[in-house]
Amino acid sequence: MVEIKTDAALDAMRVAGRVVADALAAARAAAAPGVRLLELDEVARTVLDEAGATSPFLGYRPSFAPTPFPAVICASVNDAIVHGIPDNTRLRDGDLVSIDCGAVVDGWAGDAAVSFAVGTARPEDQRLMDVTEQALAAGIAAAVVGARIGDISHAIGGIGRAAGYGIPDDFGGHGIGRQMHEDPPVPNKGRPNRGFVLRHGLVIAIEPMFLAGGTSGYYTDHDGWTLRTVDAGRAAHFEHTVAVTDEGPRVLTMP
């Protein structure tokens, strides 16, 4: 069931979205060669705690997961696409890192993700990140009243395919509100003018994830959570929580 939010709810979700933006910025600023992924998680936890927010990631256990998620961020490095569990792995110069974070404030959730290079980015990684972020911008631009979910999916997928990147099936964006994952699903590829009609007050998380190797295959790592590319190619992931409004898309997870 798709829930349409009131304007007051959109304002409340913006509060949660700012916390997410702050946590992502802090984790990114802390990322450097030699820093452990668990340290980035601690940085994000501190931001959430100081804002009086809770994490929708911590303890989350969907049907596919063997164990509850143990952290407040997903930290996915190099060939990890999404859902990486922060551990004692130390970052190295040139690593491509994707951080996904959520926050709940007064019962309303926000969710966003960013990819970045540690130290000096390889040119091919920079292109991958740039194109994925462009696809996010295109998806947001398509999130207008009267359009359909398929228009967002088509905008994202067209950019990824044109660049020669893989786009994994089964994982993409989603509705968001009092729950982190709500209807409707927002695939990262699809046909235009198909699916749910966008209305003022619909809130969705738009999150392209592209695979540099060009194939769309992935597998689940031994931890039961981390998705990795089958060809060991690198991946990038960007995400914002976006409200569809009569005035145009409103990004709720901007700084």
Side-chain angles (χ1 to χ4, degrees), residues 74-93:
C74 298
S76 306
V77 182
N78 296 333
D79 67 327
I81 307 167
V82 288
H83 303 163
I85 296 176
D87 58 16
N88 282 316
T89 299
R90 291 186 184 274
L91 294 171
R92 298 176 297 177
D93 185 71

PDB file of all heavy atoms in Angstrom, residues 74-93:
ATOM      1  N   CYS A  74      25.889   1.107   6.014  1.00  0.00           N
ATOM      2  CA  CYS A  74      26.445   0.089   5.140  1.00  0.00           C
ATOM      3  C   CYS A  74      27.719   0.685   4.549  1.00  0.00           C
ATOM      4  O   CYS A  74      27.707   1.821   4.068  1.00  0.00           O
ATOM      5  CB  CYS A  74      25.481  -0.280   4.025  1.00  0.00           C
ATOM      6  SG  CYS A  74      23.919  -0.997   4.573  1.00  0.00           S
ATOM      7  N   ALA A  75      28.797  -0.064   4.586  1.00  0.00           N
ATOM      8  CA  ALA A  75      30.080   0.401   4.061  1.00  0.00           C
ATOM      9  C   ALA A  75      30.553  -0.612   3.032  1.00  0.00           C
ATOM     10  O   ALA A  75      31.013  -1.705   3.388  1.00  0.00           O
ATOM     11  CB  ALA A  75      31.100   0.556   5.180  1.00  0.00           C
ATOM     12  N   SER A  76      30.409  -0.258   1.751  1.00  0.00           N
ATOM     13  CA  SER A  76      30.682  -1.177   0.653  1.00  0.00           C
ATOM     14  C   SER A  76      31.904  -0.684  -0.107  1.00  0.00           C
ATOM     15  O   SER A  76      31.913   0.441  -0.602  1.00  0.00           O
ATOM     16  CB  SER A  76      29.469  -1.257  -0.270  1.00  0.00           C
ATOM     17  OG  SER A  76      28.302  -1.592   0.471  1.00  0.00           O
ATOM     18  N   VAL A  77      32.923  -1.527  -0.210  1.00  0.00           N
ATOM     19  CA  VAL A  77      34.220  -1.111  -0.748  1.00  0.00           C
ATOM     20  C   VAL A  77      34.534  -1.865  -2.033  1.00  0.00           C
ATOM     21  O   VAL A  77      34.434  -3.092  -2.090  1.00  0.00           O
ATOM     22  CB  VAL A  77      35.347  -1.347   0.282  1.00  0.00           C
ATOM     23  CG1 VAL A  77      36.690  -0.872  -0.271  1.00  0.00           C
ATOM     24  CG2 VAL A  77      35.025  -0.621   1.589  1.00  0.00           C
ATOM     25  N   ASN A  78      34.892  -1.116  -3.071  1.00  0.00           N
ATOM     26  CA  ASN A  78      35.372  -1.639  -4.349  1.00  0.00           C
ATOM     27  C   ASN A  78      34.344  -2.527  -5.039  1.00  0.00           C
ATOM     28  O   ASN A  78      33.396  -2.023  -5.631  1.00  0.00           O
ATOM     29  CB  ASN A  78      36.719  -2.319  -4.170  1.00  0.00           C
ATOM     30  CG  ASN A  78      37.798  -1.341  -3.729  1.00  0.00           C
ATOM     31  OD1 ASN A  78      37.728  -0.154  -4.017  1.00  0.00           O
ATOM     32  ND2 ASN A  78      38.811  -1.828  -3.030  1.00  0.00           N
ATOM     33  N   ASP A  79      34.470  -3.866  -4.976  1.00  0.00           N
ATOM     34  CA  ASP A  79      33.535  -4.728  -5.690  1.00  0.00           C
ATOM     35  C   ASP A  79      32.251  -4.984  -4.903  1.00  0.00           C
ATOM     36  O   ASP A  79      31.358  -5.676  -5.397  1.00  0.00           O
ATOM     37  CB  ASP A  79      34.196  -6.058  -6.058  1.00  0.00           C
ATOM     38  CG  ASP A  79      34.524  -6.907  -4.843  1.00  0.00           C
ATOM     39  OD1 ASP A  79      34.851  -6.337  -3.785  1.00  0.00           O
ATOM     40  OD2 ASP A  79      34.467  -8.145  -4.951  1.00  0.00           O
ATOM     41  N   ALA A  80      32.137  -4.438  -3.700  1.00  0.00           N
ATOM     42  CA  ALA A  80      30.891  -4.529  -2.936  1.00  0.00           C
ATOM     43  C   ALA A  80      29.920  -3.476  -3.462  1.00  0.00           C
ATOM     44  O   ALA A  80      30.268  -2.298  -3.561  1.00  0.00           O
ATOM     45  CB  ALA A  80      31.152  -4.330  -1.449  1.00  0.00           C
ATOM     46  N   ILE A  81      28.717  -3.903  -3.810  1.00  0.00           N
ATOM     47  CA  ILE A  81      27.736  -2.997  -4.407  1.00  0.00           C
ATOM     48  C   ILE A  81      26.968  -2.257  -3.316  1.00  0.00           C
ATOM     49  O   ILE A  81      26.934  -1.024  -3.283  1.00  0.00           O
ATOM     50  CB  ILE A  81      26.756  -3.789  -5.295  1.00  0.00           C
ATOM     51  CG1 ILE A  81      27.507  -4.634  -6.315  1.00  0.00           C
ATOM     52  CG2 ILE A  81      25.783  -2.838  -5.990  1.00  0.00           C
ATOM     53  CD1 ILE A  81      26.638  -5.683  -7.013  1.00  0.00           C
ATOM     54  N   VAL A  82      26.347  -3.006  -2.429  1.00  0.00           N
ATOM     55  CA  VAL A  82      25.559  -2.450  -1.325  1.00  0.00           C
ATOM     56  C   VAL A  82      25.593  -3.424  -0.155  1.00  0.00           C
ATOM     57  O   VAL A  82      26.013  -4.575  -0.289  1.00  0.00           O
ATOM     58  CB  VAL A  82      24.077  -2.189  -1.720  1.00  0.00           C
ATOM     59  CG1 VAL A  82      23.952  -0.997  -2.648  1.00  0.00           C
ATOM     60  CG2 VAL A  82      23.458  -3.431  -2.345  1.00  0.00           C
ATOM     61  N   HIS A  83      25.133  -2.945   1.002  1.00  0.00           N
ATOM     62  CA  HIS A  83      24.903  -3.762   2.208  1.00  0.00           C
ATOM     63  C   HIS A  83      26.169  -4.266   2.877  1.00  0.00           C
ATOM     64  O   HIS A  83      26.115  -5.214   3.666  1.00  0.00           O
ATOM     65  CB  HIS A  83      23.981  -4.959   1.914  1.00  0.00           C
ATOM     66  CG  HIS A  83      22.653  -4.589   1.348  1.00  0.00           C
ATOM     67  ND1 HIS A  83      21.824  -5.493   0.716  1.00  0.00           N
ATOM     68  CD2 HIS A  83      21.992  -3.393   1.306  1.00  0.00           C
ATOM     69  CE1 HIS A  83      20.726  -4.890   0.317  1.00  0.00           C
ATOM     70  NE2 HIS A  83      20.803  -3.606   0.667  1.00  0.00           N
ATOM     71  N   GLY A  84      27.301  -3.635   2.591  1.00  0.00           N
ATOM     72  CA  GLY A  84      28.535  -4.049   3.240  1.00  0.00           C
ATOM     73  C   GLY A  84      28.491  -3.799   4.738  1.00  0.00           C
ATOM     74  O   GLY A  84      28.062  -2.728   5.192  1.00  0.00           O
ATOM     75  N   ILE A  85      28.939  -4.766   5.522  1.00  0.00           N
ATOM     76  CA  ILE A  85      28.958  -4.641   6.976  1.00  0.00           C
ATOM     77  C   ILE A  85      30.288  -4.023   7.405  1.00  0.00           C
ATOM     78  O   ILE A  85      31.355  -4.547   7.077  1.00  0.00           O
ATOM     79  CB  ILE A  85      28.783  -6.014   7.649  1.00  0.00           C
ATOM     80  CG1 ILE A  85      27.403  -6.592   7.308  1.00  0.00           C
ATOM     81  CG2 ILE A  85      28.944  -5.901   9.163  1.00  0.00           C
ATOM     82  CD1 ILE A  85      27.187  -7.990   7.851  1.00  0.00           C
ATOM     83  N   PRO A  86      30.273  -2.915   8.139  1.00  0.00           N
ATOM     84  CA  PRO A  86      31.531  -2.330   8.625  1.00  0.00           C
ATOM     85  C   PRO A  86      32.277  -3.312   9.526  1.00  0.00           C
ATOM     86  O   PRO A  86      31.682  -3.915  10.422  1.00  0.00           O
ATOM     87  CB  PRO A  86      31.076  -1.097   9.412  1.00  0.00           C
ATOM     88  CG  PRO A  86      29.710  -0.794   8.895  1.00  0.00           C
ATOM     89  CD  PRO A  86      29.108  -2.116   8.525  1.00  0.00           C
ATOM     90  N   ASP A  87      33.570  -3.456   9.272  1.00  0.00           N
ATOM     91  CA  ASP A  87      34.394  -4.361  10.065  1.00  0.00           C
ATOM     92  C   ASP A  87      35.756  -3.720  10.289  1.00  0.00           C
ATOM     93  O   ASP A  87      35.904  -2.505  10.171  1.00  0.00           O
ATOM     94  CB  ASP A  87      34.508  -5.734   9.393  1.00  0.00           C
ATOM     95  CG  ASP A  87      35.090  -5.651   7.986  1.00  0.00           C
ATOM     96  OD1 ASP A  87      35.685  -4.606   7.627  1.00  0.00           O
ATOM     97  OD2 ASP A  87      34.968  -6.634   7.225  1.00  0.00           O
ATOM     98  N   ASN A  88      36.739  -4.510  10.596  1.00  0.00           N
ATOM     99  CA  ASN A  88      38.067  -3.974  10.888  1.00  0.00           C
ATOM    100  C   ASN A  88      38.928  -3.733   9.647  1.00  0.00           C
ATOM    101  O   ASN A  88      40.113  -3.409   9.771  1.00  0.00           O
ATOM    102  CB  ASN A  88      38.799  -4.904  11.854  1.00  0.00           C
ATOM    103  CG  ASN A  88      38.322  -4.740  13.289  1.00  0.00           C
ATOM    104  OD1 ASN A  88      38.152  -3.612  13.754  1.00  0.00           O
ATOM    105  ND2 ASN A  88      38.101  -5.846  13.976  1.00  0.00           N
ATOM    106  N   THR A  89      38.348  -3.882   8.482  1.00  0.00           N
ATOM    107  CA  THR A  89      39.081  -3.598   7.244  1.00  0.00           C
ATOM    108  C   THR A  89      39.582  -2.160   7.247  1.00  0.00           C
ATOM    109  O   THR A  89      38.823  -1.229   7.531  1.00  0.00           O
ATOM    110  CB  THR A  89      38.177  -3.821   6.020  1.00  0.00           C
ATOM    111  OG1 THR A  89      37.752  -5.187   5.986  1.00  0.00           O
ATOM    112  CG2 THR A  89      38.906  -3.466   4.731  1.00  0.00           C
ATOM    113  N   ARG A  90      40.856  -1.997   6.934  1.00  0.00           N
ATOM    114  CA  ARG A  90      41.432  -0.656   6.848  1.00  0.00           C
ATOM    115  C   ARG A  90      41.356  -0.149   5.405  1.00  0.00           C
ATOM    116  O   ARG A  90      41.670  -0.880   4.465  1.00  0.00           O
ATOM    117  CB  ARG A  90      42.901  -0.669   7.302  1.00  0.00           C
ATOM    118  CG  ARG A  90      43.078  -0.928   8.799  1.00  0.00           C
ATOM    119  CD  ARG A  90      44.541  -0.769   9.186  1.00  0.00           C
ATOM    120  NE  ARG A  90      44.778  -1.087  10.587  1.00  0.00           N
ATOM    121  CZ  ARG A  90      44.643  -0.211  11.586  1.00  0.00           C
ATOM    122  NH1 ARG A  90      44.278   1.039  11.314  1.00  0.00           N
ATOM    123  NH2 ARG A  90      44.878  -0.573  12.823  1.00  0.00           N
ATOM    124  N   LEU A  91      40.947   1.097   5.256  1.00  0.00           N
ATOM    125  CA  LEU A  91      40.877   1.698   3.935  1.00  0.00           C
ATOM    126  C   LEU A  91      42.269   1.925   3.369  1.00  0.00           C
ATOM    127  O   LEU A  91      43.225   2.171   4.112  1.00  0.00           O
ATOM    128  CB  LEU A  91      40.122   3.029   4.009  1.00  0.00           C
ATOM    129  CG  LEU A  91      38.641   2.926   4.375  1.00  0.00           C
ATOM    130  CD1 LEU A  91      38.061   4.310   4.626  1.00  0.00           C
ATOM    131  CD2 LEU A  91      37.859   2.209   3.282  1.00  0.00           C
ATOM    132  N   ARG A  92      42.359   1.841   2.041  1.00  0.00           N
ATOM    133  CA  ARG A  92      43.611   2.080   1.344  1.00  0.00           C
ATOM    134  C   ARG A  92      43.428   3.188   0.315  1.00  0.00           C
ATOM    135  O   ARG A  92      42.312   3.431  -0.155  1.00  0.00           O
ATOM    136  CB  ARG A  92      44.084   0.801   0.649  1.00  0.00           C
ATOM    137  CG  ARG A  92      44.375  -0.352   1.599  1.00  0.00           C
ATOM    138  CD  ARG A  92      44.733  -1.600   0.827  1.00  0.00           C
ATOM    139  NE  ARG A  92      43.617  -2.049  -0.005  1.00  0.00           N
ATOM    140  CZ  ARG A  92      43.668  -3.086  -0.831  1.00  0.00           C
ATOM    141  NH1 ARG A  92      44.798  -3.772  -0.952  1.00  0.00           N
ATOM    142  NH2 ARG A  92      42.622  -3.435  -1.539  1.00  0.00           N
ATOM    143  N   ASP A  93      44.515   3.844  -0.032  1.00  0.00           N
ATOM    144  CA  ASP A  93      44.458   4.883  -1.045  1.00  0.00           C
ATOM    145  C   ASP A  93      43.915   4.293  -2.346  1.00  0.00           C
ATOM    146  O   ASP A  93      44.356   3.245  -2.800  1.00  0.00           O
ATOM    147  CB  ASP A  93      45.857   5.462  -1.290  1.00  0.00           C
ATOM    148  CG  ASP A  93      45.830   6.627  -2.255  1.00  0.00           C
ATOM    149  OD1 ASP A  93      45.335   7.695  -1.872  1.00  0.00           O
ATOM    150  OD2 ASP A  93      46.294   6.463  -3.401  1.00  0.00           O
TER     151      ASP A  93
END
